[in-house]
Amino acid sequence: MSDSQSQSGLVRALGPVDATMIVIGSMIGSGIFITSAESARLSGAPGWLLLAWVIAGLLTMTGALCCSELATMMPRAGGVYVFFREAYGPAMGFLYGWTLFLVVQTGTIAAVAIAFAKFLGVFVSAVSPDNYLFIKQPISLGGGYAVSLSTQQLVAIALVALLTWTNTRGLKLGTLVQNTFTFAKTAALIGVVVVGLFLGWSATSAARTSAWWDSWANGWSPQIAQPGFKFVGGLALVLIFGKSMVGPLFAQTAWTNVTFLGSEVRDPGRNLVRALLIGSGIVVTLYVLANVSYLAFLSFPEIQHAPQDRVAVAAMNSAFGNPGAMCMAAAIMISTFGCDNGLILAGARVYFAMARDRLFFKRVATTNRNHVPAAALVAQGIWTALLTLPRTVTTNEATHQVVYGNVYTQLLEYIVSADLIFYLLMVLALIVLRRKAPAADRPYRTWGYPIVPILSMLLAALLIVDLAFLAPTTSGIGILIVLTGVPVYFFWRRSAHA
């Protein structure tokens, strides 16, 4: 076996550009083009909208600084799963990997694939959430749930299948797809920023017509933002501001994905740090500037009430009319395609690492002749495809119209608090391992230690408390989803020792 090939069967073939493109490509999906609408509705003023993205960026950058030390200390397949296993023991590592497989990674892949199909629908009218195959409407399962297969769902499943297949053909093809699409979508996002900053600032733009920090002056009220909310005044704004950060946080959560490929990055002591810090830094900067661009183009109500929350499309439509909107829709398709490739490529490595620890299906611990964990990729693809089929069923009280949503969107909402807890535990793992393994080789040591990790954990803890207070049921269900892994862990432990 050559030096470039580790005992796991994986090959160290990713260079610094490849690793950085995985960070950027996994982060930029559809979130930046859509989530600002909901954040604007919740916070009610341009200043608060930008602050939400800045604080989310601060969490990303402080997290990346802490993660860089762990990644270079343990550059192995599975990344964060390995950090948890070493810091807290195998059970905690398993709960992280289990939640990733059950909801976080697969749910995000499903959501991004549906976003791709949604924007394809702009060009191909047959691709629609209401154009059902084999049936006239979703089949009710009772309890507010149904199952369906629409042309939109079919396109999403086909996209997941295609990208899963290309990634089984080898790391070279997977990274070629990743690099090509990441360059294209980064250029598109830079285009949105440049166009906004140089062609925007009209007399009707939010930047010039809305009160920057006074949400009430813009017609906002806590009761409109959060129906049934009891609090008033500044406290209400602060509490709801925490909720307005959910979208910005989700738009940039996947920066840890490059650590999952730790066994496949060349010279990990240098390249993982560069990828995490440069990749995250580029995306965080572009995200904040993209929001400045929206504020320079659109009035604040236009951001809050963009059709189907497509803020970027509304901005380009404002600048160039229908051709601009069509170009933006095409750019988002490129973005979501590349994002899903990165998530599919990286996620499989976590289940591969779990299986090698005998905490997942035995077959998933294998690599194929192309030195990639094909069985892990297939298992991930099948579960993701299944997640696209169930629908939530709600009835609009005003019109009595039945509205069908997606179950994975609900699952991802549930998991936000749990995801933040995992983030806090990852940063804490840095402090735990400094004490537990002081003599371990650390090619990179976290800048600003211990202030940076403490600041990072403090911000995450405030958000966890805020979300638990605003939506205790949602947060509670999220924790329960994580805890479903406890009996599964003991089942696999027992079968491993049988």
Side-chain angles (χ1 to χ4, degrees):
M1 194 179 285
S2 68
D3 290 340
S4 66
Q5 190 173 327
S6 65
Q7 290 180 327
S8 62
L10 302 173
V11 180
R12 289 201 182 277
L14 296 173
V17 173
D18 301 324
T20 306
M21 289 298 115
I22 284 163
V23 174
I24 296 172
S26 300
M27 286 174 79
I28 304 175
S30 58
I32 182 58
F33 305 110
I34 294 169
T35 56
S36 292
E38 176 69 0
S39 286
R41 288 194 291 269
L42 286 166
S43 59
W48 295 113
L49 172 65
L50 283 183
L51 188 63
W53 284 94
V54 168
I55 293 176
L58 186 63
L59 266 167
T60 296
M61 291 314 299
T62 52
L65 281 165
C66 300
C67 187
S68 292
E69 178 172 323
L70 296 168
T72 55
M73 186 182 161
M74 295 170 277
R76 298 179 213 153
V80 180
Y81 161 76
V82 176
F83 312 158
F84 275 40
R85 187 189 69 199
E86 298 304 310
Y88 310 115
M92 202 65 206
F94 177 81
L95 284 183
Y96 171 79
W98 172 253
T99 311
L100 208 75
F101 180 79
L102 199 65
V103 179
V104 176
Q105 197 81 358
T106 49
T108 307
I109 294 167
V112 173
I114 289 282
F116 172 87
K118 189 184 282 186
F119 284 95
L120 179 62
V122 173
F123 302 95
V124 184
S125 57
V127 178
S128 157
D130 307 316
N131 187 359
Y132 300 110
L133 302 165
F134 316 118
I135 48 171
K136 287 194 173 147
Q137 66 176 59
I139 300 163
S140 175
L141 300 173
Y145 294 97
V147 67
S148 73
L149 181 62
S150 64
T151 48
Q152 190 183 78
Q153 288 166 298
L154 187 65
V155 166
I157 292 168
L159 176 69
V160 171
L162 171 68
L163 291 174
T164 298
W165 177 79
T166 56
N167 277 292
T168 63
R169 310 307 296 161
L171 195 59
K172 202 168 185 180
L173 181 57
T175 48
L176 176 66
V177 171
Q178 189 64 20
N179 295 356
T180 306
F181 280 85
T182 300
F183 275 120
K185 67 180 168 181
T186 307
L189 193 52
I190 291 168
V192 171
V193 171
V194 170
V195 169
L197 297 185
F198 289 98
L199 298 183
W201 314 104
S202 69
T204 57
S205 69
R208 295 179 65 177
T209 57
S210 295
W212 267 78
W213 298 101
D214 187 348
S215 301
W216 286 268
N218 298 327
W220 178 90
S221 90
Q223 284 67 40
I224 293 171
Q226 178 96 354
F229 202 54
K230 302 283 191 292
F231 290 86
V232 291
L235 177 62
L237 179 59
V238 169
L239 287 169
I240 295 176
F241 172 73
K243 194 178 178 186
S244 81
M245 283 186 57
V246 169
L249 281 170
F250 248 141
Q252 49 192 288
T253 49
W255 54 269
T256 52
N257 272 242
V258 74
T259 70
F260 303 164
L261 296 144
S263 293
E264 292 156 278
V265 176
R266 291 197 304 268
D267 190 7
R270 293 172 65 189
N271 290 337
L272 279 170
V273 181
R274 287 175 181 172
L276 281 162
L277 299 183
I278 295 170
S280 299
I282 287 170
V283 176
V284 165
T285 305
L286 283 175
Y287 277 7
V288 173
L289 290 175
N291 279 279
V292 173
S293 178
Y294 300 155
L295 294 168
F297 259 131
L298 303 168
S299 69
F300 206 63
E302 283 175 327
I303 294 172
Q304 291 173 308
H305 308 294
Q308 294 184 35
D309 289 352
R310 295 171 182 167
V311 184
V313 174
M316 290 300 104
N317 191 46
S318 164
F320 305 113
N322 195 49
M326 298 300 261
C327 285
M328 196 67 244
I332 295 171
M333 281 177 63
I334 290 168
S335 181
T336 48
F337 190 96
C339 179
D340 250 3
N341 183 70
L343 294 169
I344 288 166
L345 168 70
R349 273 64 181 176
V350 178
Y351 328 128
F352 169 78
M354 288 162 67
R356 283 180 64 79
D357 288 342
R358 301 170 83 179
L359 291 173
F360 210 58
F361 300 107
K362 195 186 284 185
R363 181 76 195 277
V364 172
T366 61
T367 53
N368 66 5
R369 58 195 172 88
N370 300 315
H371 305 294
V372 292
L377 282 159
V378 170
Q380 175 181 256
I382 291 168
W383 181 243
T384 303
L386 289 172
L387 277 182
T388 65
L389 299 177
R391 309 286 293 267
T392 55
V393 186
T394 50
T395 306
N396 187 315
E397 286 180 20
T399 61
H400 299 292
Q401 189 181 357
V402 177
V403 180
Y404 294 103
N406 294 296
V407 163
Y408 59 77
T409 312
Q410 194 180 54
L411 290 171
L412 288 170
E413 260 173 47
Y414 290 147
I415 219 75
V416 171
S417 293
D419 210 30
L420 278 166
I421 291 168
F422 282 134
Y423 170 92
L424 194 152
L425 287 171
M426 183 196 70
V427 176
L428 182 63
L430 171 68
I431 297 168
V432 170
L433 288 167
R434 282 263 181 127
R435 298 191 166 212
K436 209 171 173 182
D441 182 34
R442 289 175 170 83
Y444 170 84
R445 296 178 81 87
T446 296
W447 174 85
Y449 183 91
I451 294 162
V452 165
I454 289 168
L455 173 69
S456 198
M457 288 191 294
L458 196 63
L459 274 173
L462 284 169
L463 277 166
I464 292 162
V465 171
D466 186 38
L467 290 173
F469 178 75
L470 284 177
T473 311
T474 309
S475 298
I477 292 171
I479 303 301
L480 284 174
I481 288 171
V482 176
L483 294 178
T484 59
V486 173
V488 183
Y489 169 73
F490 286 110
F491 166 75
W492 255 305
R493 275 300 289 262
R494 193 174 295 125
S495 50
H497 294 108

